[in-house]
Amino acid sequence: GAGVSQSPSNKVTEKGKDVELRCDPISGHTALYWYRQSLGQGLEFLIYFQGNSAPDKSGLPSDRFSAERTGGSVSTLTIQRTQQEDSAVYLCASSSSGTGGFGANVLTFGAGSRLTVL
Amino acid sequence: AQSVTQPDIHITVSEGASLELRCNYSYGATPYLFWYVQSPGQGLQLLLKYFSGDTLVQGIKGFEAEFKRSQSSFNLRKPSVHWSDAAEYFCAVVAYNQGGKLIFGQGTELSVKP
């Protein structure tokens, strides 16, 4: 597609429920990132997929968070047993390469999925 | 591990005044550095990037940034700020010793007063 698409744009859920957030990156982009932006906070790295390599999950805050990327394209971020502190905007971004070179690592961001946990 | 520090959480400048937003990084080799902007209700947009070569890089919307290795800095500047520049600005570095992921600073919120 022309840009990075995220859905849903807004999600309100009750504490303890599971949620899935979807990211459809730009076609052909090999690198995909998930970040979390809480109110008044910066961009917190969550997870990074690069091609067929094992994902870098070092930013996932707890084992309630997981993500997968199917067929090197669409990614789903899953949060199990949501807590109120999970409320944030979850941003997905993709880029054409994660290993250097001109144009590499220039991320195109989606509009984000705003999660509110009541 | 590489990191990025933006010392100023919030800055207010008058319209027409000059602007400098600070960014410091920690990385042993020549870093790949970026500035992104997030306008209210908008997604993040790339302003400019530095990979190598000329240490003064020009970006969109009249912004520029200067890479200073001796100071481990990559400060963003604009000679004359417009009201539409009010936004949050993020500095970022590629963490090549961490698999090539992009690490962001905490951001600096810019307010512009008339």
Side-chain angles (χ1 to χ4, degrees), chain A residues 33 35 37 41-43 45 48 56 58-59 91 98-111, chain B residues 9 32 34 36 38 42-46 49 51 88 90 94 96 98-107:
Chain A
Y33 299 75
Y35 289 88
Q37 187 174 27
Q41 302 296 311
L43 288 161
F45 167 78
Y48 164 47
D56 178 347
S58 60
L91 295 167
T99 54
F102 186 78
N105 303 103
V106 176
L107 270 58
T108 300
F109 281 84
Chain B
I9 296 174
Y32 286 9
F34 304 80
Y36 283 83
Q38 186 178 35
Q42 304 290 315
L44 279 95
Q45 181 182 23
L46 178 71
K49 60 184 184 286
F51 286 171
E88 186 143 24
F90 294 93
V94 174
Y96 278 104
Q98 298 178 51
K101 65 190 180 193
L102 200 59
I103 305 296
F104 284 85
Q106 286 299 101

mmCIF file of all heavy atoms in Angstrom, chain A residues 33 35 37 41-43 45 48 56 58-59 91 98-111, chain B residues 9 32 34 36 38 42-46 49 51 88 90 94 96 98-107:
data_model
loop_
_atom_site.group_PDB
_atom_site.id
_atom_site.type_symbol
_atom_site.label_atom_id
_atom_site.label_comp_id
_atom_site.label_asym_id
_atom_site.label_seq_id
_atom_site.Cartn_x
_atom_site.Cartn_y
_atom_site.Cartn_z
ATOM 1 N N TYR A 33 8.584 -2.166 12.838
ATOM 2 C CA TYR A 33 8.780 -1.813 14.240
ATOM 3 C C TYR A 33 7.436 -1.572 14.915
ATOM 4 O O TYR A 33 6.507 -1.051 14.303
ATOM 5 C CB TYR A 33 9.554 -0.495 14.371
ATOM 6 C CG TYR A 33 10.933 -0.446 13.790
ATOM 7 C CD1 TYR A 33 11.145 -0.368 12.421
ATOM 8 C CD2 TYR A 33 12.048 -0.416 14.634
ATOM 9 C CE1 TYR A 33 12.432 -0.279 11.898
ATOM 10 C CE2 TYR A 33 13.332 -0.317 14.123
ATOM 11 C CZ TYR A 33 13.517 -0.252 12.757
ATOM 12 O OH TYR A 33 14.782 -0.157 12.243
ATOM 13 N N TYR A 35 6.238 0.572 18.361
ATOM 14 C CA TYR A 35 6.597 1.473 19.448
ATOM 15 C C TYR A 35 5.347 1.774 20.261
ATOM 16 O O TYR A 35 4.225 1.693 19.759
ATOM 17 C CB TYR A 35 7.156 2.798 18.921
ATOM 18 C CG TYR A 35 8.524 2.714 18.293
ATOM 19 C CD1 TYR A 35 8.669 2.427 16.935
ATOM 20 C CD2 TYR A 35 9.676 2.920 19.052
ATOM 21 C CE1 TYR A 35 9.923 2.343 16.354
ATOM 22 C CE2 TYR A 35 10.933 2.846 18.477
ATOM 23 C CZ TYR A 35 11.042 2.557 17.131
ATOM 24 O OH TYR A 35 12.286 2.474 16.555
ATOM 25 N N GLN A 37 3.663 4.842 22.692
ATOM 26 C CA GLN A 37 3.762 6.244 23.106
ATOM 27 C C GLN A 37 2.678 6.501 24.139
ATOM 28 O O GLN A 37 1.499 6.552 23.828
ATOM 29 C CB GLN A 37 3.603 7.173 21.909
ATOM 30 C CG GLN A 37 3.868 8.633 22.235
ATOM 31 C CD GLN A 37 3.853 9.497 20.995
ATOM 32 O OE1 GLN A 37 3.211 9.197 20.000
ATOM 33 N NE2 GLN A 37 4.586 10.609 21.035
ATOM 34 N N GLN A 41 4.991 10.799 27.299
ATOM 35 C CA GLN A 41 6.218 9.999 27.204
ATOM 36 C C GLN A 41 6.742 10.010 25.780
ATOM 37 O O GLN A 41 6.072 10.393 24.844
ATOM 38 C CB GLN A 41 5.940 8.556 27.649
ATOM 39 C CG GLN A 41 5.401 8.445 29.052
ATOM 40 C CD GLN A 41 6.394 8.918 30.069
ATOM 41 O OE1 GLN A 41 7.559 8.525 30.061
ATOM 42 N NE2 GLN A 41 5.958 9.771 30.972
ATOM 43 N N GLY A 42 7.928 9.559 25.634
ATOM 44 C CA GLY A 42 8.527 9.453 24.307
ATOM 45 C C GLY A 42 8.093 8.181 23.633
ATOM 46 O O GLY A 42 7.100 7.553 24.002
ATOM 47 N N LEU A 43 8.861 7.793 22.654
ATOM 48 C CA LEU A 43 8.583 6.582 21.899
ATOM 49 C C LEU A 43 9.352 5.421 22.515
ATOM 50 O O LEU A 43 10.571 5.389 22.480
ATOM 51 C CB LEU A 43 9.001 6.768 20.440
ATOM 52 C CG LEU A 43 8.107 7.704 19.642
ATOM 53 C CD1 LEU A 43 8.819 8.195 18.411
ATOM 54 C CD2 LEU A 43 6.820 7.010 19.273
ATOM 55 N N PHE A 45 10.462 1.707 22.400
ATOM 56 C CA PHE A 45 10.626 0.593 21.475
ATOM 57 C C PHE A 45 10.037 -0.676 22.082
ATOM 58 O O PHE A 45 10.257 -0.981 23.259
ATOM 59 C CB PHE A 45 12.115 0.394 21.189
ATOM 60 C CG PHE A 45 12.433 -0.904 20.507
ATOM 61 C CD1 PHE A 45 12.221 -1.056 19.154
ATOM 62 C CD2 PHE A 45 12.933 -1.974 21.223
ATOM 63 C CE1 PHE A 45 12.510 -2.246 18.524
ATOM 64 C CE2 PHE A 45 13.229 -3.175 20.612
ATOM 65 C CZ PHE A 45 13.013 -3.312 19.257
ATOM 66 N N TYR A 48 11.036 -5.416 16.982
ATOM 67 C CA TYR A 48 11.569 -5.084 15.671
ATOM 68 C C TYR A 48 11.708 -6.363 14.862
ATOM 69 O O TYR A 48 12.302 -7.329 15.335
ATOM 70 C CB TYR A 48 12.923 -4.399 15.866
ATOM 71 C CG TYR A 48 13.849 -4.292 14.683
ATOM 72 C CD1 TYR A 48 13.415 -3.870 13.443
ATOM 73 C CD2 TYR A 48 15.205 -4.570 14.846
ATOM 74 C CE1 TYR A 48 14.300 -3.740 12.383
ATOM 75 C CE2 TYR A 48 16.097 -4.452 13.793
ATOM 76 C CZ TYR A 48 15.639 -4.024 12.567
ATOM 77 O OH TYR A 48 16.522 -3.894 11.524
ATOM 78 N N ASP A 56 13.667 -8.871 17.286
ATOM 79 C CA ASP A 56 14.250 -8.299 18.504
ATOM 80 C C ASP A 56 13.102 -7.933 19.429
ATOM 81 O O ASP A 56 12.418 -6.940 19.209
ATOM 82 C CB ASP A 56 15.071 -7.061 18.127
ATOM 83 C CG ASP A 56 15.691 -6.366 19.331
ATOM 84 O OD1 ASP A 56 15.302 -6.667 20.489
ATOM 85 O OD2 ASP A 56 16.559 -5.510 19.126
ATOM 86 N N SER A 58 13.382 -7.237 22.641
ATOM 87 C CA SER A 58 13.965 -6.736 23.887
ATOM 88 C C SER A 58 13.151 -5.628 24.541
ATOM 89 O O SER A 58 13.318 -5.345 25.727
ATOM 90 C CB SER A 58 15.388 -6.247 23.643
ATOM 91 O OG SER A 58 15.396 -5.198 22.679
ATOM 92 N N GLY A 59 12.269 -4.971 23.796
ATOM 93 C CA GLY A 59 11.495 -3.878 24.357
ATOM 94 C C GLY A 59 10.137 -4.259 24.903
ATOM 95 O O GLY A 59 9.458 -3.426 25.515
ATOM 96 N N LEU A 91 2.302 2.539 17.955
ATOM 97 C CA LEU A 91 2.703 2.971 16.623
ATOM 98 C C LEU A 91 3.459 1.861 15.912
ATOM 99 O O LEU A 91 4.322 1.209 16.501
ATOM 100 C CB LEU A 91 3.598 4.206 16.711
ATOM 101 C CG LEU A 91 2.952 5.479 17.253
ATOM 102 C CD1 LEU A 91 4.011 6.506 17.577
ATOM 103 C CD2 LEU A 91 1.972 6.040 16.241
ATOM 104 N N GLY A 98 17.065 -2.556 7.333
ATOM 105 C CA GLY A 98 17.505 -2.276 8.692
ATOM 106 C C GLY A 98 18.991 -2.420 8.858
ATOM 107 O O GLY A 98 19.502 -2.457 9.957
ATOM 108 N N THR A 99 19.697 -2.484 7.749
ATOM 109 C CA THR A 99 21.113 -2.805 7.877
ATOM 110 C C THR A 99 22.008 -1.756 7.239
ATOM 111 O O THR A 99 23.138 -2.033 6.911
ATOM 112 C CB THR A 99 21.414 -4.170 7.237
ATOM 113 O OG1 THR A 99 20.946 -4.162 5.886
ATOM 114 C CG2 THR A 99 20.704 -5.274 8.002
ATOM 115 N N GLY A 100 21.546 -0.581 7.072
ATOM 116 C CA GLY A 100 22.427 0.469 6.581
ATOM 117 C C GLY A 100 22.261 0.750 5.116
ATOM 118 O O GLY A 100 21.538 0.091 4.396
ATOM 119 N N GLY A 101 22.929 1.773 4.656
ATOM 120 C CA GLY A 101 22.805 2.194 3.264
ATOM 121 C C GLY A 101 21.917 3.402 3.147
ATOM 122 O O GLY A 101 21.052 3.614 3.997
ATOM 123 N N PHE A 102 22.120 4.193 2.148
ATOM 124 C CA PHE A 102 21.328 5.398 1.980
ATOM 125 C C PHE A 102 19.854 5.047 1.893
ATOM 126 O O PHE A 102 19.445 4.163 1.165
ATOM 127 C CB PHE A 102 21.763 6.143 0.721
ATOM 128 C CG PHE A 102 21.079 7.472 0.569
ATOM 129 C CD1 PHE A 102 21.494 8.565 1.299
ATOM 130 C CD2 PHE A 102 20.001 7.612 -0.271
ATOM 131 C CE1 PHE A 102 20.855 9.788 1.180
ATOM 132 C CE2 PHE A 102 19.360 8.825 -0.397
ATOM 133 C CZ PHE A 102 19.781 9.924 0.315
ATOM 134 N N GLY A 103 19.066 5.755 2.671
ATOM 135 C CA GLY A 103 17.634 5.492 2.674
ATOM 136 C C GLY A 103 17.229 4.460 3.690
ATOM 137 O O GLY A 103 16.052 4.334 4.005
ATOM 138 N N ALA A 104 18.232 3.745 4.216
ATOM 139 C CA ALA A 104 17.906 2.726 5.199
ATOM 140 C C ALA A 104 17.438 3.376 6.486
ATOM 141 O O ALA A 104 17.821 4.476 6.820
ATOM 142 C CB ALA A 104 19.140 1.868 5.478
ATOM 143 N N ASN A 105 16.604 2.655 7.164
ATOM 144 C CA ASN A 105 16.130 3.060 8.468
ATOM 145 C C ASN A 105 15.338 4.349 8.473
ATOM 146 O O ASN A 105 15.135 4.936 9.520
ATOM 147 C CB ASN A 105 17.281 3.177 9.481
ATOM 148 C CG ASN A 105 18.048 1.894 9.617
ATOM 149 O OD1 ASN A 105 19.130 1.778 9.084
ATOM 150 N ND2 ASN A 105 17.469 0.915 10.257
ATOM 151 N N VAL A 106 14.918 4.831 7.331
ATOM 152 C CA VAL A 106 13.981 5.948 7.314
ATOM 153 C C VAL A 106 12.616 5.333 7.483
ATOM 154 O O VAL A 106 12.089 4.686 6.596
ATOM 155 C CB VAL A 106 14.072 6.746 6.005
ATOM 156 C CG1 VAL A 106 13.005 7.827 5.989
ATOM 157 C CG2 VAL A 106 15.456 7.356 5.858
ATOM 158 N N LEU A 107 12.067 5.514 8.643
ATOM 159 C CA LEU A 107 10.817 4.866 8.969
ATOM 160 C C LEU A 107 9.623 5.649 8.465
ATOM 161 O O LEU A 107 9.587 6.872 8.546
ATOM 162 C CB LEU A 107 10.686 4.717 10.491
ATOM 163 C CG LEU A 107 11.243 3.436 11.109
ATOM 164 C CD1 LEU A 107 12.702 3.275 10.812
ATOM 165 C CD2 LEU A 107 10.961 3.408 12.592
ATOM 166 N N THR A 108 8.660 4.912 7.980
ATOM 167 C CA THR A 108 7.352 5.482 7.682
ATOM 168 C C THR A 108 6.400 4.971 8.742
ATOM 169 O O THR A 108 6.245 3.754 8.912
ATOM 170 C CB THR A 108 6.866 5.061 6.290
ATOM 171 O OG1 THR A 108 7.798 5.511 5.303
ATOM 172 C CG2 THR A 108 5.507 5.690 6.000
ATOM 173 N N PHE A 109 5.777 5.880 9.440
ATOM 174 C CA PHE A 109 4.915 5.526 10.564
ATOM 175 C C PHE A 109 3.462 5.461 10.141
ATOM 176 O O PHE A 109 2.999 6.220 9.277
ATOM 177 C CB PHE A 109 5.044 6.552 11.689
ATOM 178 C CG PHE A 109 6.270 6.371 12.529
ATOM 179 C CD1 PHE A 109 7.478 6.908 12.145
ATOM 180 C CD2 PHE A 109 6.203 5.653 13.720
ATOM 181 C CE1 PHE A 109 8.614 6.730 12.915
ATOM 182 C CE2 PHE A 109 7.338 5.476 14.504
ATOM 183 C CZ PHE A 109 8.535 6.014 14.105
ATOM 184 N N GLY A 110 2.758 4.571 10.793
ATOM 185 C CA GLY A 110 1.313 4.578 10.691
ATOM 186 C C GLY A 110 0.724 5.623 11.623
ATOM 187 O O GLY A 110 1.447 6.268 12.391
ATOM 188 N N ALA A 111 -0.578 5.783 11.552
ATOM 189 C CA ALA A 111 -1.256 6.792 12.375
ATOM 190 C C ALA A 111 -1.422 6.345 13.817
ATOM 191 O O ALA A 111 -1.746 7.154 14.684
ATOM 192 C CB ALA A 111 -2.611 7.133 11.771
ATOM 193 N N ILE B 9 12.536 18.996 27.776
ATOM 194 C CA ILE B 9 11.241 18.356 27.606
ATOM 195 C C ILE B 9 10.277 19.280 26.868
ATOM 196 O O ILE B 9 9.487 18.854 26.028
ATOM 197 C CB ILE B 9 10.670 17.960 28.971
ATOM 198 C CG1 ILE B 9 11.573 16.916 29.624
ATOM 199 C CG2 ILE B 9 9.239 17.444 28.843
ATOM 200 C CD1 ILE B 9 11.181 16.572 31.040
ATOM 201 N N TYR B 32 24.131 6.809 12.638
ATOM 202 C CA TYR B 32 23.090 7.269 11.733
ATOM 203 C C TYR B 32 22.063 7.996 12.609
ATOM 204 O O TYR B 32 21.519 7.402 13.544
ATOM 205 C CB TYR B 32 22.422 6.096 11.019
ATOM 206 C CG TYR B 32 23.247 5.461 9.930
ATOM 207 C CD1 TYR B 32 24.581 5.783 9.724
ATOM 208 C CD2 TYR B 32 22.691 4.504 9.092
ATOM 209 C CE1 TYR B 32 25.332 5.189 8.728
ATOM 210 C CE2 TYR B 32 23.426 3.899 8.078
ATOM 211 C CZ TYR B 32 24.751 4.244 7.912
ATOM 212 O OH TYR B 32 25.477 3.635 6.916
ATOM 213 N N PHE B 34 18.711 10.871 13.118
ATOM 214 C CA PHE B 34 17.477 11.329 12.496
ATOM 215 C C PHE B 34 16.785 12.335 13.424
ATOM 216 O O PHE B 34 16.929 12.278 14.640
ATOM 217 C CB PHE B 34 16.501 10.156 12.276
ATOM 218 C CG PHE B 34 17.067 9.026 11.467
ATOM 219 C CD1 PHE B 34 17.904 8.085 12.053
ATOM 220 C CD2 PHE B 34 16.734 8.888 10.139
ATOM 221 C CE1 PHE B 34 18.425 7.033 11.313
ATOM 222 C CE2 PHE B 34 17.238 7.832 9.393
ATOM 223 C CZ PHE B 34 18.079 6.911 9.978
ATOM 224 N N TYR B 36 12.687 13.440 13.753
ATOM 225 C CA TYR B 36 11.306 13.271 13.332
ATOM 226 C C TYR B 36 10.449 14.310 14.040
ATOM 227 O O TYR B 36 10.766 14.731 15.156
ATOM 228 C CB TYR B 36 10.777 11.879 13.703
ATOM 229 C CG TYR B 36 11.245 10.757 12.799
ATOM 230 C CD1 TYR B 36 12.484 10.154 12.990
ATOM 231 C CD2 TYR B 36 10.435 10.289 11.764
ATOM 232 C CE1 TYR B 36 12.900 9.117 12.167
ATOM 233 C CE2 TYR B 36 10.844 9.248 10.940
ATOM 234 C CZ TYR B 36 12.083 8.680 11.150
ATOM 235 O OH TYR B 36 12.498 7.647 10.330
ATOM 236 N N GLN B 38 6.333 15.219 15.177
ATOM 237 C CA GLN B 38 4.964 14.724 15.351
ATOM 238 C C GLN B 38 4.073 15.918 15.663
ATOM 239 O O GLN B 38 4.116 16.456 16.766
ATOM 240 C CB GLN B 38 4.896 13.699 16.474
ATOM 241 C CG GLN B 38 3.540 13.031 16.611
ATOM 242 C CD GLN B 38 3.536 11.978 17.714
ATOM 243 O OE1 GLN B 38 4.187 12.131 18.742
ATOM 244 N NE2 GLN B 38 2.798 10.892 17.504
ATOM 245 N N GLN B 42 -1.190 14.108 14.329
ATOM 246 C CA GLN B 42 -0.556 13.576 13.115
ATOM 247 C C GLN B 42 0.419 12.461 13.455
ATOM 248 O O GLN B 42 0.837 12.310 14.607
ATOM 249 C CB GLN B 42 0.203 14.687 12.383
ATOM 250 C CG GLN B 42 -0.639 15.902 12.035
ATOM 251 C CD GLN B 42 -1.648 15.614 10.970
ATOM 252 O OE1 GLN B 42 -1.336 14.975 9.963
ATOM 253 N NE2 GLN B 42 -2.874 16.063 11.168
ATOM 254 N N GLY B 43 0.792 11.722 12.444
ATOM 255 C CA GLY B 43 1.831 10.715 12.621
ATOM 256 C C GLY B 43 3.204 11.352 12.596
ATOM 257 O O GLY B 43 3.350 12.558 12.388
ATOM 258 N N LEU B 44 4.210 10.540 12.831
ATOM 259 C CA LEU B 44 5.588 11.042 12.796
ATOM 260 C C LEU B 44 6.067 11.207 11.365
ATOM 261 O O LEU B 44 5.813 10.360 10.512
ATOM 262 C CB LEU B 44 6.521 10.085 13.533
ATOM 263 C CG LEU B 44 6.519 10.249 15.036
ATOM 264 C CD1 LEU B 44 5.554 9.271 15.662
ATOM 265 C CD2 LEU B 44 7.913 10.043 15.599
ATOM 266 N N GLN B 45 6.799 12.281 11.142
ATOM 267 C CA GLN B 45 7.317 12.588 9.816
ATOM 268 C C GLN B 45 8.809 12.863 9.921
ATOM 269 O O GLN B 45 9.261 13.546 10.827
ATOM 270 C CB GLN B 45 6.595 13.820 9.248
ATOM 271 C CG GLN B 45 7.038 14.235 7.859
ATOM 272 C CD GLN B 45 6.338 15.480 7.362
ATOM 273 O OE1 GLN B 45 5.838 16.286 8.144
ATOM 274 N NE2 GLN B 45 6.296 15.655 6.063
ATOM 275 N N LEU B 46 9.569 12.322 8.966
ATOM 276 C CA LEU B 46 11.004 12.550 8.953
ATOM 277 C C LEU B 46 11.315 13.990 8.556
ATOM 278 O O LEU B 46 10.824 14.477 7.533
ATOM 279 C CB LEU B 46 11.670 11.590 7.964
ATOM 280 C CG LEU B 46 13.185 11.749 7.799
ATOM 281 C CD1 LEU B 46 13.902 11.270 9.058
ATOM 282 C CD2 LEU B 46 13.680 10.978 6.575
ATOM 283 N N LYS B 49 18.027 13.574 8.069
ATOM 284 C CA LYS B 49 18.835 12.456 8.527
ATOM 285 C C LYS B 49 20.303 12.727 8.226
ATOM 286 O O LYS B 49 20.635 13.489 7.306
ATOM 287 C CB LYS B 49 18.406 11.150 7.856
ATOM 288 C CG LYS B 49 18.532 11.150 6.336
ATOM 289 C CD LYS B 49 17.994 9.864 5.763
ATOM 290 C CE LYS B 49 18.210 9.798 4.253
ATOM 291 N NZ LYS B 49 17.288 10.693 3.518
ATOM 292 N N PHE B 51 23.861 10.453 7.668
ATOM 293 C CA PHE B 51 24.530 9.158 7.565
ATOM 294 C C PHE B 51 26.038 9.341 7.520
ATOM 295 O O PHE B 51 26.789 8.611 8.163
ATOM 296 C CB PHE B 51 24.069 8.397 6.317
ATOM 297 C CG PHE B 51 22.679 7.820 6.415
ATOM 298 C CD1 PHE B 51 22.060 7.263 5.311
ATOM 299 C CD2 PHE B 51 21.972 7.835 7.607
ATOM 300 C CE1 PHE B 51 20.781 6.732 5.393
ATOM 301 C CE2 PHE B 51 20.697 7.307 7.705
ATOM 302 C CZ PHE B 51 20.099 6.748 6.582
ATOM 303 N N GLU B 88 5.879 18.046 18.527
ATOM 304 C CA GLU B 88 6.871 17.335 19.323
ATOM 305 C C GLU B 88 7.952 16.828 18.383
ATOM 306 O O GLU B 88 7.656 16.287 17.314
ATOM 307 C CB GLU B 88 6.243 16.170 20.097
ATOM 308 C CG GLU B 88 7.205 15.499 21.048
ATOM 309 C CD GLU B 88 6.534 15.058 22.332
ATOM 310 O OE1 GLU B 88 5.314 14.857 22.314
ATOM 311 O OE2 GLU B 88 7.258 14.902 23.340
ATOM 312 N N PHE B 90 11.455 14.543 17.826
ATOM 313 C CA PHE B 90 12.173 13.383 18.333
ATOM 314 C C PHE B 90 13.483 13.196 17.576
ATOM 315 O O PHE B 90 13.505 13.183 16.343
ATOM 316 C CB PHE B 90 11.335 12.105 18.168
ATOM 317 C CG PHE B 90 10.095 12.061 18.999
ATOM 318 C CD1 PHE B 90 8.880 12.496 18.494
ATOM 319 C CD2 PHE B 90 10.152 11.589 20.300
ATOM 320 C CE1 PHE B 90 7.724 12.454 19.267
ATOM 321 C CE2 PHE B 90 8.999 11.532 21.085
ATOM 322 C CZ PHE B 90 7.792 11.973 20.568
ATOM 323 N N VAL B 94 20.356 4.966 15.045
ATOM 324 C CA VAL B 94 20.323 3.547 14.724
ATOM 325 C C VAL B 94 21.287 2.827 15.645
ATOM 326 O O VAL B 94 22.461 3.168 15.719
ATOM 327 C CB VAL B 94 20.709 3.275 13.268
ATOM 328 C CG1 VAL B 94 20.813 1.773 13.019
ATOM 329 C CG2 VAL B 94 19.696 3.892 12.334
ATOM 330 N N TYR B 96 23.278 -0.014 15.865
ATOM 331 C CA TYR B 96 23.795 -1.114 15.070
ATOM 332 C C TYR B 96 24.353 -2.249 15.919
ATOM 333 O O TYR B 96 24.448 -3.375 15.452
ATOM 334 C CB TYR B 96 24.815 -0.618 14.049
ATOM 335 C CG TYR B 96 24.122 -0.081 12.826
ATOM 336 C CD1 TYR B 96 24.013 1.281 12.599
ATOM 337 C CD2 TYR B 96 23.499 -0.944 11.938
ATOM 338 C CE1 TYR B 96 23.326 1.769 11.504
ATOM 339 C CE2 TYR B 96 22.803 -0.470 10.843
ATOM 340 C CZ TYR B 96 22.724 0.885 10.631
ATOM 341 O OH TYR B 96 22.030 1.361 9.554
ATOM 342 N N GLN B 98 22.784 -3.256 18.372
ATOM 343 C CA GLN B 98 21.563 -3.842 18.911
ATOM 344 C C GLN B 98 20.658 -4.304 17.764
ATOM 345 O O GLN B 98 19.442 -4.150 17.820
ATOM 346 C CB GLN B 98 20.819 -2.840 19.797
ATOM 347 C CG GLN B 98 21.611 -2.395 21.021
ATOM 348 C CD GLN B 98 20.859 -1.361 21.841
ATOM 349 O OE1 GLN B 98 19.693 -1.544 22.192
ATOM 350 N NE2 GLN B 98 21.504 -0.249 22.123
ATOM 351 N N GLY B 99 21.289 -4.804 16.724
ATOM 352 C CA GLY B 99 20.535 -5.372 15.617
ATOM 353 C C GLY B 99 20.007 -4.379 14.606
ATOM 354 O O GLY B 99 19.252 -4.742 13.702
ATOM 355 N N GLY B 100 20.378 -3.137 14.714
ATOM 356 C CA GLY B 100 19.970 -2.160 13.718
ATOM 357 C C GLY B 100 18.655 -1.467 14.007
ATOM 358 O O GLY B 100 18.094 -0.805 13.143
ATOM 359 N N LYS B 101 18.147 -1.581 15.216
ATOM 360 C CA LYS B 101 16.873 -0.930 15.494
ATOM 361 C C LYS B 101 17.084 0.555 15.743
ATOM 362 O O LYS B 101 18.179 1.025 16.023
ATOM 363 C CB LYS B 101 16.194 -1.583 16.697
ATOM 364 C CG LYS B 101 16.932 -1.414 18.007
ATOM 365 C CD LYS B 101 16.310 -2.305 19.068
ATOM 366 C CE LYS B 101 17.020 -2.162 20.396
ATOM 367 N NZ LYS B 101 16.632 -3.217 21.344
ATOM 368 N N LEU B 102 15.996 1.289 15.639
ATOM 369 C CA LEU B 102 16.024 2.747 15.796
ATOM 370 C C LEU B 102 15.603 3.098 17.215
ATOM 371 O O LEU B 102 14.547 2.686 17.679
ATOM 372 C CB LEU B 102 15.075 3.371 14.778
ATOM 373 C CG LEU B 102 15.290 4.847 14.429
ATOM 374 C CD1 LEU B 102 16.673 5.071 13.865
ATOM 375 C CD2 LEU B 102 14.231 5.297 13.432
ATOM 376 N N ILE B 103 16.452 3.853 17.885
ATOM 377 C CA ILE B 103 16.205 4.260 19.266
ATOM 378 C C ILE B 103 15.866 5.749 19.278
ATOM 379 O O ILE B 103 16.614 6.566 18.735
ATOM 380 C CB ILE B 103 17.439 4.010 20.149
ATOM 381 C CG1 ILE B 103 17.883 2.550 20.069
ATOM 382 C CG2 ILE B 103 17.146 4.421 21.595
ATOM 383 C CD1 ILE B 103 16.890 1.568 20.610
ATOM 384 N N PHE B 104 14.762 6.092 19.927
ATOM 385 C CA PHE B 104 14.318 7.480 19.987
ATOM 386 C C PHE B 104 14.642 8.105 21.335
ATOM 387 O O PHE B 104 14.652 7.441 22.368
ATOM 388 C CB PHE B 104 12.811 7.561 19.756
ATOM 389 C CG PHE B 104 12.399 7.391 18.318
ATOM 390 C CD1 PHE B 104 12.230 6.126 17.786
ATOM 391 C CD2 PHE B 104 12.178 8.488 17.506
ATOM 392 C CE1 PHE B 104 11.851 5.954 16.461
ATOM 393 C CE2 PHE B 104 11.798 8.329 16.176
ATOM 394 C CZ PHE B 104 11.642 7.065 15.657
ATOM 395 N N GLY B 105 14.851 9.421 21.302
ATOM 396 C CA GLY B 105 14.911 10.188 22.525
ATOM 397 C C GLY B 105 13.513 10.398 23.084
ATOM 398 O O GLY B 105 12.520 9.980 22.486
ATOM 399 N N GLN B 106 13.444 11.056 24.220
ATOM 400 C CA GLN B 106 12.160 11.249 24.896
ATOM 401 C C GLN B 106 11.285 12.310 24.247
ATOM 402 O O GLN B 106 10.115 12.429 24.568
ATOM 403 C CB GLN B 106 12.395 11.615 26.360
ATOM 404 C CG GLN B 106 12.848 10.446 27.209
ATOM 405 C CD GLN B 106 11.815 9.333 27.229
ATOM 406 O OE1 GLN B 106 11.943 8.324 26.535
ATOM 407 N NE2 GLN B 106 10.771 9.508 28.015
ATOM 408 N N GLY B 107 11.881 13.084 23.350
ATOM 409 C CA GLY B 107 11.106 14.100 22.652
ATOM 410 C C GLY B 107 11.183 15.464 23.320
ATOM 411 O O GLY B 107 11.374 15.574 24.542
#
